[in-house]
Each structure stands twice: as C-alpha cells, then as structure tokens.
Amino acid sequence: MALQGGFIEHIRHLQSLEADAFEIRKKTDLHREMDGLILPGGESTTMGILLKESDMFDELKLKIDSGMPVFGTCAGLILLAHKIAGTEITYFASMDIVAKRNAYGRQLGSFYTEAELKGIGIIPMVFIRAPYIESAGESVEILSVVNDRIVAAREKNILVTSYHPELTSDNRVHQYFLKMIT
Amino acid sequence: MQEMEKERYELNKNLAQMLKGGVIMDVSTPEQARIAEKAGAAAVMALERIPADIRAAGGVSRMSDPKMIKGIQAVVSIPVMAKVRIGHIAEAQILEALEIDYIDESEVLSPADDKYHIDKTKFKVPFVCGAKNLSEALRRIVEGASMIRTKGEPGTGDIIQAVRHMRAMMSEIRRLQSMNEDELYHAAKELQVPYDLVKYVHENGKLPVVNFAAGGVATPADAALMMQLGAEGVFVGSGIFKSGNPMKRAQAIVKAVTNYNDPKILAEISEDLGEAMIGINEEEIQLLMAERGM
C-alpha cells in the first residue's frame, strides 16, 4: 500500500527476493492481480484517512479477512489491530491484538536493537516512534519479544512487526512473508 | 560513542523516511493541530505565527513559546516539529528538552548567526534544514541535518522559488550522476562539500536523506507539481490556515501528495476549495527569506 510512508523500502526488499510488487494508491489498483499485501510504516492516522477517502477500505478488509496474506510494519500493525489502546478508533481490526501507539515515546525514544524473530533467528530491529503489542489473543503466535514487550506476531494470514525490517539490509522477514504466500 | 551517534543519526533519517509521501502542516494552536491531524497530516510544525503573519508583522521572529509547543504535543499523536533560528544553539537545546520530534533550523525566523549553522551532530533530536541548491543541501547534511527541504519563499503562497530550488537541486544531482569518477574531486571542491557525499550522490542519484518541498505551497496542484519535480513530501505553511476553508484544503493537499501523478483525481480534489490564500508575488516582496543561511 503506497498511500503514505516508507513503501519504497518494502518494494526494494521484495525485488531483492525476485518477487513482483506494485504500488496501491487508488481503487483501480486493487483490480490488479495480487497474492499479498504490505502495509508499510508511516502515520497510521494519515493512512487510515486516505484508505477511507479513496474508497479502498471495504475491499481491502474483505481481502484480508478472507485470508489474503498481509504484512504490517509499525503503522501497518496499528491498522491491523483489533483494538488500539486509549482510543475507540480502529481500522481493519483483523488481528486479535491490542496495539499501543507511540509506546516508546517520541523520537528520542526511537532505538535500534538485535533480537530474535521466532523461525528466523537474530535480526536487526529498527524502532521508530514504534508501537508494541499490549496483549494478544490465544490464536496469535508471538514471534518477537524485546524488553518484555511483544513486538512481532502472527495470526493465520497476518504478520506484524512493530519494528522496520525494510529499513535494514536484512531481507529475511520479507522472505518469511513470501513463504506465507506460496 | 561514535557508534552511538551514528546509530542515532540513522534513526533520525529513518523517521524522515516514515514521513515520505506525507504533508507537514504549520499550526499555531492545539485546535489547528487537531484539524491538521484529522485532515491527514503526517506531522505538524508548531509555531506561534505562520510565515505569512511573520512577514506581515515584521520585527524579529524567534522560537515559539515552549508552553504553546507542549499544548500541541498534548493533543496529537503524529510527530510535532518546531523551528529555531539559524545558528541558535540554545533554542535547539530547549526544543530537545521538550522532546520535540524534529527541529527545523529555519530561515523563516530571524537568523541568530550570520556565519555558522548549528552543529547538529551534537544533538540527539533530528534536524531538517532548508536548501536552495545541492551545495547548500550537502553542507547542511555535513552539519548533521537528517532531512532536507527546499527553502522556497515562505508565507508568499507563490510556488516559483520552491520550484526553482527543487529544479536546481535535481539538475545538479543529475550532473553529478553523469560525471566520470575522476571529475568528482573537482565537483566536491566546487560544491564546497566532502568528497564522500559527492560520491554518494553520484552513485545513488539522490541525497543521502529525505528531501521535501517547502515554501509557497498553496494548492493541491502546487503540491502535486513539487512531487512531480522530485520532492518526497511537502511542507505547507501559510497555505492552509490562511485559506477560506482550512479543513477541506488540508485534506485536498494530503490527497494530492498521494495521487500526484493522477490528473483525474487532482481535478476532483481541486474542486470547490473556497478561497486560496491571496499571497504575494515574488517581485512584490521586500524580504527574501531564502537568502538567509547559505
């Protein structure tokens, strides 16, 4: 999804893995053949507004809820969360997690670390004004925990990370996502 | 320590990457900040007086009151930026203490130092700086800026200077790209910047940081124009809250940045926006802010 944010970085990672990718900016883009969807980092409020205004929301929600593989990073995680702490607003609400926005504070709280993503190993993690997952339902598999906070998880067709694999040179998380598609 | 600083600089460049494809709006009250967020702004710039009013009022313009900045931080979840005078180290330290998300070392305010910009490598918070050509942009990056914007001519509603600055930057980038490697040393000398930055631009065909447009954007078409010229996002200052219908215009500019290449959508969203800011033409203004801080 290329409404706002760091989508080019995702496309580059996909291309490095020889996967085809295209930008979704308007409703007619949804009519192209797609096997998976990436919701990039950026501002979730901005994307949420543009999703609804562009009349793409319902169609995308239907695709997600009927099993199309989705990968959300940072703002993408917020868009997919069933509930966002401290507000009644939700977006796709397709994943049984509660997301906490700006959970590490402002930009001074942004940080880099290396930690485990279950099934891959130790990977570099870039957190930018990042959210974390406050709680997760039983059907959610927890994939990464940093400082006792859940920062990556998967539920069926949905993969989320509160960090940005697309901002590092390591493309293994994207490889993992591509495996969810095939 | 060196490593830590490098890591912090990367994180700061990364935040700018997350703002790409977005609109950063000038706001002077919490109420305006709420409107901006609701309209889809990717960040807000908190300042007491928007550039058009600074222009009208004259006098020395300075960093905004921390209380006003805090009031805006309290009501929005998107990043909050604020401006300091060029070279004003202490104002920057104050904004860092407020945990501002981005500092704009800005020619819109009265410069505090006519020779030196702030040594931005000494700060943890990120800085965005204005530039009107590649040489200025790269000098600001050497000083530690993690994001660049065109200077344009703030508070005028006239896009000509922003266009001129973006075109200058892009054509100089293309010129570096097409050079032989042995010509780059001389280019570095001409641009008055370190060789490794020149080499980066030569190899990548872009700045090493995100590059936004700013100064004079008043309509969705202006925003789309700047994106087509190579901007990665847009700052809108006076253009929104000096217009007849701020909410509608703000929403339209947000959509224009996403759909800058789609004339049909641009036509739809440009419709019926109410009155645009009246603005001033380039030749009618007495103070060229873009000439501040080279």
Side-chain angles (χ1 to χ4, degrees):
Chain A
M1 196 174 74
L3 293 173
Q4 191 267 326
F7 47 85
I8 290 162
E9 292 81 354
H10 279 290
I11 290 176
R12 283 198 203 114
H13 265 20
L14 291 176
Q15 285 167 344
S16 77
L17 294 162
E18 283 164 16
D20 295 325
F22 64 91
E23 294 178 5
I24 298 171
R25 288 173 190 268
K26 53 181 190 288
K27 200 170 183 183
T28 49
D29 295 331
L30 296 180
H31 302 151
R32 295 176 64 174
E33 196 186 327
M34 57 201 263
D35 306 313
L37 172 70
I38 291 183
L39 303 174
E43 283 307 317
S44 57
T45 49
T46 305
M47 291 185 216
I49 289 161
L50 287 167
L51 264 174
K52 285 180 181 157
E53 296 266 339
S54 62
D55 198 22
M56 291 198 288
F57 183 83
D58 293 338
E59 208 167 313
L60 275 175
K61 180 163 169 55
L62 195 70
K63 280 182 195 283
I64 296 168
D65 291 347
S66 53
M68 185 180 66
V70 196
F71 176 21
T73 58
C74 195
L77 177 154
I78 294 168
L79 294 180
L80 290 163
H82 175 69
K83 178 162 174 48
I84 302 163
T87 171
E88 291 307 306
I89 297 171
T90 57
Y91 301 95
F92 294 120
S94 303
M95 186 177 191
D96 192 9
I97 54 172
V98 180
K100 187 171 161 61
R101 300 195 54 180
N102 298 340
Y104 300 92
R106 300 182 175 280
Q107 174 62 5
L108 284 175
S110 294
F111 65 102
Y112 172 87
T113 190
E114 284 165 17
E116 192 189 359
L117 191 146
K118 212 165 130 190
I120 296 183
I122 303 290
I123 59 159
M125 299 179 180
V126 177
F127 293 82
I128 304 292
R129 286 172 45 92
Y132 60 61
I133 298 170
E134 214 171 55
S135 62
E138 275 176 14
S139 58
V140 176
E141 187 190 4
I142 290 160
L143 298 176
S144 295
V145 176
V146 170
N147 301 332
D148 300 328
R149 302 293 185 188
I150 306 167
V151 293
R154 176 176 174 178
E155 185 181 24
K156 289 173 286 190
N157 58 318
I158 305 175
L159 171 69
V160 294
T161 61
S162 62
Y163 47 90
H164 295 276
E166 77 281 13
L167 293 179
T168 71
S169 56
D170 191 320
N171 62 16
R172 285 178 295 168
V173 185
H174 289 75
Q175 204 168 16
Y176 179 102
F177 177 59
L178 289 177
K179 275 193 205 132
M180 285 170 59
I181 293 174
T182 49
Chain B
M1 197 58 207
Q2 204 68 24
E3 272 306 297
M4 286 283 287
E5 275 174 26
K6 227 179 116 192
E7 193 175 291
R8 181 48 57 183
Y9 185 59
E10 284 305 314
L11 292 169
N12 287 342
K13 286 201 290 186
N14 289 155
L15 174 58
Q17 282 175 278
M18 292 305 128
L19 297 171
K20 281 188 302 181
V23 181
I24 300 165
M25 300 181 192
D26 279 3
V27 295
S28 42
T29 62
E31 185 48 36
Q32 287 184 353
R34 264 198 217 102
I35 293 175
E37 185 175 49
K38 262 194 199 138
V44 290
M45 176 77 70
L47 76 173
E48 269 159 346
R49 277 196 300 218
I50 54 176
D53 292 336
I54 291 175
R55 219 170 248 296
V60 176
S61 55
R62 311 177 176 90
M63 178 192 78
S64 299
D65 184 338
K67 186 176 174 187
M68 169 261 177
I69 295 170
K70 285 202 266 185
I72 287 170
Q73 285 176 321
V75 297
V76 293
S77 66
I78 54 180
V80 177
M81 304 184 170
K83 291 181 194 289
V84 298
R85 286 179 267 176
I86 290 171
H88 207 311
I89 303 160
E91 284 188 348
Q93 290 163 345
I94 291 170
L95 288 188
E96 184 167 63
L98 295 179
E99 295 195 18
I100 202 82
D101 291 301
Y102 242 97
I103 295 178
D104 185 0
E105 187 183 18
S106 175
E107 66 285 357
V108 169
L109 306 182
S110 306
D113 192 321
D114 56 7
K115 197 164 176 189
Y116 300 105
H117 279 73
I118 296 170
D119 177 1
K120 295 167 272 287
T121 62
K122 296 282 183 288
F123 288 80
K124 286 200 174 80
V125 285
F127 280 81
V128 54
C129 286
K132 53 186 188 331
N133 52 47
L134 183 61
S135 170
E136 277 187 23
L138 295 180
R139 277 202 296 281
R140 297 297 87 78
I141 293 166
V142 176
E143 294 159 4
S146 46
M147 180 178 183
I148 292 293
R149 53 169 179 76
T150 60
K151 286 179 169 172
E153 196 47 36
T156 59
D158 189 357
I159 198 68
I160 185 167
Q161 299 248 15
V163 167
R164 193 181 286 151
H165 300 163
M166 189 56 78
R167 280 209 181 266
M169 245 186 263
M170 291 302 163
S171 89
E172 287 168 89
I173 288 173
R174 282 190 296 271
R175 195 173 71 91
L176 284 189
Q177 250 185 312
S178 65
M179 279 183 180
N180 275 330
E181 289 217 0
D182 59 359
E183 295 170 322
L184 296 177
Y185 298 98
H186 183 68
K189 200 169 74 183
E190 277 180 339
L191 291 166
Q192 303 168 42
V193 293
Y195 170 76
D196 57 339
L197 273 182
V198 171
K199 189 151 185 281
Y200 180 94
V201 176
H202 170 72
E203 282 169 358
N204 296 280
K206 63 186 285 299
L207 295 180
V209 303
V210 166
N211 186 15
F212 268 47
V217 176
T219 67
D222 288 346
L225 170 64
M226 293 313 300
M227 294 296 287
Q228 288 185 27
L229 291 177
E232 297 181 282
V234 173
F235 284 85
V236 189
S238 319
I240 289 173
F241 291 100
K242 277 284 157 190
S243 74
N245 189 339
M247 182 67 176
K248 201 166 174 194
R249 185 165 292 268
Q251 281 175 330
I253 292 176
V254 169
K255 278 186 234 165
V257 168
T258 299
N259 299 291
Y260 68 94
N261 260 333
D262 192 320
K264 257 194 181 157
I265 294 180
L266 292 175
E268 267 169 47
I269 59 182
S270 297
E271 234 177 73
D272 200 22
L273 293 179
E275 199 163 343
M277 74 179 280
I278 295 172
I280 348 170
N281 289 306
E282 181 186 39
E283 54 276 11
E284 294 167 356
I285 51 177
Q286 296 181 350
L287 173 65
L288 270 181
M289 291 174 174
E291 295 307 320
R292 290 167 164 176
M294 314 280 260

